[in-house]
Structure formats: C-alpha cells, structure tokens
C-alpha cells in the first residue's frame, strides 16, 4: 500500500520546474492571443473522462498543463488584456500564493492561524492607511467584493431596530415590513445578489437615476427613502459606488453619507476597483466623503496587483459585523482573550491565507511604487481617450476619472445600426488576438470599454489597440 505525500526530492524537482514555467509564462504571455481561439468543449474533450487509477509522474502532469491548460486560458495576465477591469497577478503575489498553499493555514480562529490572523489584520490596516481611511476602520479579507457587500448589508439588516431577523428569520412574519436598499442604476449587480441572498428581494433594491456623469442623484435618494417610509417600508442601507463598473463614475459620497446619517441607514461604499487608486492623493480626492461610511469594500485583486482572489472589507465598527455573524460552536471555543477570530466577521468558517500575497505585493513594490504604477495606468488611459476625442467618427461616452475609457464609433446611421456596428467592431478587434476589450451599455446604447490595469501594459499595447480599432472600423465601412 502507498502512503504519504510524494517524495521530497520529486517535489523539489517539480517545484523548480514550476518556478521556471511561471517565469517563462510571465516572459511570454504577451505572445499568446489574449482570448484562446477555441470552442466550448474543446478542453473538456482533451481531458480523460475518468480519473487515473495509478499515480502519474509530476513531469507528465506538468506537460499536460503546458499543453492543455496554459494555451487554452483567457490570459488575464496579458498586457493586451483591456477588458472588464484589467488586473495583474504580480510576481510577488504569485510567490505569496505558493507559500500560503504550503502553509495551508486555516485561520478560523486566532489559535488555528496566529500569523495568518495577525498578518491579515495588519496588512488590512496598512491598506487603510494607504487609502487614507480613519483609524477606527478595521479590515478583513474575503474572496470577492460581492461577499464584502453581502456581509455589509447583512450587518445593516441586523442593526435595523426591532426586526430580530438573525433569530426569527423572515419567513411567515406578518410583522416584517419590506426592507429596502438604495443604489444607483450604475451600481454593481452584486448589490442585487446580496438582496437575493438576504431575503430582501430584488424588487426592494431601489435603482436610482444618475446625472450626466453617471453619478447617483442625492435628491432622488432622499425622495425614494421618503416614499418608502410613507408606504410603510423599512429602508436599511445605501450603497454608494466609488468607481462604477461601466464608467468608473464616483457617486457623491459626502452627500449620500449625510443622508444616511440623518436617516440612520447603513452607508456601504463599493470601491471594488477604484478604491486602490485612493493610495494616490489626487485620486483620493475623488472619494471625498467615503470616510463617513460604515463599510468600504475594495479589491486588491482588481487594481492592486494581487492575484485573484483578494477583497478587503473595511468596517467602521467590527462589533456590528460580529453581532450579525458571530456564532461559536463548542469545538471552536478557545481560551485566548482579546484576540480576533476571523470566523466571527462573516459567513465562512475556514479561510485561506490571502493576506500573505497582499503583504508581499505591498512590500515588494512599496506604497510609492504602487502609486507610480496606478498613475501610469491613469496616464495611458487618458492618452487613449485623447486619441478617441481627436478622431472624427469616434466619441468618448463618459468622463475618464481613472483608467477606463468608454467610447464608440459614430455615424449618421440610426442608433440601433450604430449599436450593431460597434458590436461587430468589438468582435473584430478581439478576434485579432493581441488585445481584448469589453463592452457595456450606457443610456441603452452599446459602448466599448478599454481598461488599463495590467503591469505589463505599455503605451505600445494601447497604441496597438487603437490601431486595431481604426483598421477594423475602416475595414467595415
Ligand atoms: N463592485 C464593482 C464596482 C465591480 O466592478 C465588481 C466587479 O467588477 C464587483 C463589485 C464584484 O467584484 P467581485 O468579483 O470581487 O465580487
């Protein structure tokens, strides 16, 4: 009978090979098309349908990885990846992931992960300082902003007076008013998903209109809260967005915060993408008022060069999160006093040691190095926006506060035909291979998005994107 892990010597040789493979990948990723030219099912077809009965050599497994996995990946670490929010799993972050896997620490409670717990709290506090939030905010790490927003809204639901939902639930209760949440029409769908998960329901998420800069209109918020209260509903929270998914607009956070304070509502700020930019004072100025929030979520895995997944939820009063979630079964009771047990702050019990990669990223680049990189991305986006602005037959569709440009080709054709043209334009550009852009709809019209956020992206890559866009436009006329 075999027992135990693979031999140390086998592991060492494979780990050296993996180190080379990763270094090679970083050097050559730009040679791949960003999106693999494959069809759905191609990968599945190449994989054995049944698991191996006998052990296979690490070399053979790694060969298959190189043959089947690496080339058939959409390369988020590609310098031509300019879709959605462009991101980077930087080299220090990759090293942090590897070491975290080796430790396999599960910081459910302090005792099961002392270093993981304390490093997580410290590195979140570094981030808090870097983005300029007040010292009372305490952060912890979740997988995604979707979960951060869910936890914040669960805490909001819990603090709403007289509901006692944690104990009594929501089903079958005639005493329970409809709970309502407010966010702009540009807010991320994770707000609706949180409403689904928390039993609030998507009908009770008020999607408020935005101004010509795609920002929530505070008067519309006040009016909606007032109408809901008059109708006997119970407003519980407002989600302001700092860096909306489509255009990266920033809601008027100061005004929203004042309304929340007056109306006694939880104020959550979704800064999943743009929050990282607040490490630069000039970008932080755009977040004015977020320090009034009860909670702020920001994703180092979006624009702080940390491999997916890593999302930091900063809460002004962690006791309010604990009140919503802390539940300690006997087997998890520990004796240490005054420690943070991370399981108390959310739904999950077990957790990976994500702080290690963020710690390594912040240390390897330094706050100033991170600022320079974010500024560089902003500058590349602005240069691209200038080209669009100056080119007849194109238009910018939204302001460019950070590193995302919304634009489209225009003509005298009907709006619907222009939409179809831009859709085909996007397909053509992406089919070429060197770059990958995405789209959105603004005020119902199809719009292209170019996002800069990968550490490998240079002016030459943005230039390539622009050349491909113009060539495709000419080719389609
Ligand atoms: N919030 C905003 C503004 C986003 O743009 C996104 C995703 O792009 C999310 C939240 C969801 O992020 P995650 O994938 O971390 O849940």
């Amino acid at each position: 009978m075999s027992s135990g892990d693979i031999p140390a010597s086998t592991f060492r040789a494979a780990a050296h090979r993996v180190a080379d493979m990763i270094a090679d990948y970083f050097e050559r990723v730009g040679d791949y098309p960003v999106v693999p030219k494959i069809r759905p099912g191609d990968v599945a077809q190449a994989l054995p349908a049944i698991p191996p009965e006998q052990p296979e050599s690490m070399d053979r497994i790694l060969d298959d990885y190189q043959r089947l996995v690496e080339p058939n990946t959409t390369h988020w670490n590609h310098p031509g990846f300019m879709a959605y929010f462009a991101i980077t799993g930087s080299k220090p972050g990759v090293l942090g992931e590897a070491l975290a896997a080796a430790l396999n620490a599960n910081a459910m409670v302090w005792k099961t992960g002392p270093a993981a717990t304390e490093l997580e709290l410290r590195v979140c506090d570094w981030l808090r300082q870097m983005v300029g939030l007040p010292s009372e905010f305490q952060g912890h790490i979740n997988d995604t902003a979707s979960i951060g927003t869910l936890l914040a809204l669960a805490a909001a639901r819990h603090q709403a007076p007289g509901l006692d939902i944690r104990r009594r639930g929501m089903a079958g209760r005639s005493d329970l008013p409809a709970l309502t949440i407010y966010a702009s029409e540009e807010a991320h769908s994770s707000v609706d998903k949180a409403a689904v998960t928390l039993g609030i329901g998507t009908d009770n998420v008020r999607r408020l209109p935005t101004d010509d800069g795609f920002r929530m209109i505070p008067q519309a918020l006040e009016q909606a809260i007032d109408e809901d209260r008059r109708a006997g509903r119970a407003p519980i929270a407002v989600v302001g967005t700092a860096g909306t998914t489509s255009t990266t607009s920033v809601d008027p956070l100061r005004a929203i915060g004042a309304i929340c304070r007056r109306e006694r509502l939880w104020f959550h700020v979704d800064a999943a993408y743009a929050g990282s930019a607040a490490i630069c004072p000039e970008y932080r100025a755009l977040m004015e008022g977020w320090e009034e929030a009860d909670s702020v979520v920001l994703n180092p895995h979006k624009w702080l060069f940390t491999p997916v997944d890593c999302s930091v939820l900063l809460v002004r009063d962690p006791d309010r999160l604990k009140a919503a979630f802390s539940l300690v079964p006997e087997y998890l009771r520990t004796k240490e006093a005054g420690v943070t047990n991370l399981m108390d702050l959310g739904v999950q019990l077990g957790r990976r040691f994500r702080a290690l990669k963020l710690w390594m990223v912040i240390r390897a680049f330094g706050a100033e190095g991170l600022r320079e990189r974010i500024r560089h991305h902003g500058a590349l986006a602005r240069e691209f926006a200038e080209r669009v602005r100056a080119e007849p037959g194109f238009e910018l569709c939204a302001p460019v506060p950070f590193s995302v440009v919304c634009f489209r080709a225009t003509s005298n054709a009907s709006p619907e035909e222009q939409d179809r043209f831009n859709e085909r334009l996007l397909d053509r550009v992406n089919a070429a291979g060197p770059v990958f852009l995405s789209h959105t709809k603004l005020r119902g019209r199809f719009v292209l998005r170019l996002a800069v956020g990968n550490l490998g992206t240079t002016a030459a890559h943005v230039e390539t994107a622009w050349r491909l866009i113009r060539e495709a436009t000419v080719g389609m006329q």
Side-chain angles (χ1 to χ4, degrees):
M1 201 189 82
S2 325
S3 64
D5 206 339
I6 63 171
S9 56
T10 309
F11 173 74
R12 192 174 292 277
H16 283 144
R17 182 172 166 198
V18 167
D20 281 336
M21 284 164 58
I22 295 172
D24 289 346
Y25 180 68
F26 273 113
E27 272 175 23
R28 295 193 207 129
V29 59
D31 298 341
Y32 281 114
V34 184
V35 181
K37 295 184 191 300
I38 55 173
R39 283 162 314 187
D42 282 355
V43 176
Q45 215 166 34
L47 295 168
I50 54 167
E53 204 60 46
Q54 297 304 323
E56 298 188 70
S57 74
M58 283 312 304
D59 269 333
R60 196 182 140 110
I61 299 167
L62 294 176
D63 287 347
D64 281 349
Y65 166 86
Q66 286 194 300
R67 189 171 58 83
L68 286 174
V69 180
E70 189 180 294
N72 294 325
T73 295
T74 294
H75 298 282
W76 286 74
N77 251 352
H78 193 298
F81 189 109
M82 300 175 191
Y84 313 111
F85 285 123
I87 60 173
T88 314
S90 67
K91 294 171 190 129
V94 170
L95 297 175
E97 281 283 29
L99 292 171
L103 289 178
N104 204 25
N106 187 346
M108 307 180 291
V109 292
W110 178 87
K111 192 180 185 131
T112 65
T117 301
E118 294 185 13
L119 194 76
E120 181 158 329
L121 295 173
R122 180 54 51 91
V123 86
C124 288
D125 197 63
W126 284 4
L127 192 60
R128 176 196 66 71
Q129 294 175 49
M130 287 161 63
V131 301
L133 282 168
S135 58
E136 58 264 33
F137 278 86
Q138 180 190 297
H140 77 283
I141 303 182
N142 296 290
D143 54 357
T144 57
S146 301
I147 296 301
T149 294
L150 171 71
L151 301 186
L153 293 177
R157 191 183 67 170
H158 185 68
Q159 76 157 22
L163 304 179
D164 198 13
I165 289 172
R166 175 181 158 132
R167 191 175 59 87
R168 296 180 58 203
M170 297 175 86
R173 285 181 63 180
S174 55
D175 65 317
L176 209 57
L179 310 182
T180 53
I181 293 172
Y182 305 81
S184 90
E185 60 194 349
E186 294 294 322
H188 190 259
S189 50
S190 51
V191 178
D192 303 279
K193 278 212 180 174
V196 170
T197 312
L198 293 169
I200 289 167
T202 52
D203 276 359
N204 295 314
V205 180
R206 301 276 172 268
R207 291 296 202 146
L208 303 166
T210 54
D211 63 15
D212 55 6
F214 303 97
R215 294 166 299 221
M216 187 192 290
I217 300 170
Q219 293 82 348
L221 172 63
E222 281 175 318
Q223 199 182 329
I225 294 170
D226 188 49
E227 277 171 18
D228 280 329
R229 288 211 198 279
R230 282 171 199 276
R233 292 183 278 262
I236 58 166
V238 181
V239 180
T241 310
T244 54
T245 312
S246 284
T247 70
T248 73
S249 59
V250 180
D251 286 334
L253 302 175
R254 171 84 60 219
I256 296 172
I259 294 169
C260 287
R261 225 183 4 264
R262 200 179 60 227
E263 299 285 341
R264 297 185 186 283
L265 303 180
W266 186 284
F267 178 25
H268 176 63
V269 173
D270 177 357
Y273 152 74
S276 300
I279 66 171
C280 307
E282 68 274 26
Y283 285 126
R284 191 182 307 161
L286 301 178
M287 321 283 175
E288 238 249 301
W290 72 337
E291 69 280 2
E292 309 275 333
D294 294 289
S295 51
V296 176
V297 69
L298 59 94
N299 280 7
H301 79 222
K302 277 192 167 49
W303 204 11
L304 213 61
F305 320 126
T306 306
V308 173
D309 51 14
C310 184
S311 177
V312 173
L313 178 65
L314 290 146
V315 251
R316 177 182 295 282
D317 178 1
D319 282 345
R320 291 199 278 164
L321 261 194
K322 283 187 202 153
F325 287 110
S326 181
L327 198 157
V328 187
E330 182 54 37
Y331 83 104
L332 291 171
R333 288 195 187 284
T334 50
K335 296 200 173 68
E336 295 76 23
V339 296
T340 295
N341 295 320
L342 290 167
M343 69 168 185
D344 289 337
L345 299 173
V347 177
Q348 67 180 95
L349 168 59
R351 61 175 48 240
R352 4 198 256 108
F353 190 179
R354 296 188 186 88
L356 193 57
K357 58 187 171 183
L358 181 54
W359 185 62
M360 292 180 75
V361 167
I362 294 175
R363 293 188 61 186
F365 295 114
E368 194 47 41
L370 293 169
R371 280 182 210 113
E372 280 166 17
R373 287 164 172 85
I374 281 180
R375 286 183 178 128
H376 179 57
H377 290 164
L380 290 177
R382 284 193 299 277
E383 279 166 32
F384 180 82
E386 268 320 305
R387 284 169 186 274
V388 172
R389 203 194 312 271
E391 184 80 9
F394 280 90
E395 68 177 7
L396 282 179
C397 304
V400 184
F402 300 102
S403 70
V404 172
V405 184
C406 291
F407 66 103
R408 58 193 250 123
T410 55
S411 68
N412 294 326
S414 71
E416 292 73 25
E417 281 171 58
Q418 291 188 55
D419 282 352
R420 281 193 291 277
F421 184 90
N422 278 282
E423 204 169 340
R424 281 188 288 124
L425 172 61
L426 179 64
D427 288 343
R428 275 211 184 197
V429 169
N430 286 342
V435 300
F436 179 36
L437 276 58
S438 57
H439 80 279
T440 188
K441 277 198 170 166
L442 294 178
R443 312 273 184 246
R445 298 271 69 95
F446 191 95
V447 165
L448 279 63
R449 275 174 90 266
L450 179 139
V452 183
N454 185 270
L455 287 180
T457 303
T458 62
H461 296 101
V462 179
E463 179 68 40
T464 301
W466 183 229
R467 179 177 54 76
L468 290 170
I469 291 161
R470 291 179 65 216
E471 283 172 9
T473 311
V474 171
M476 285 163 58
Q477 272 155 1

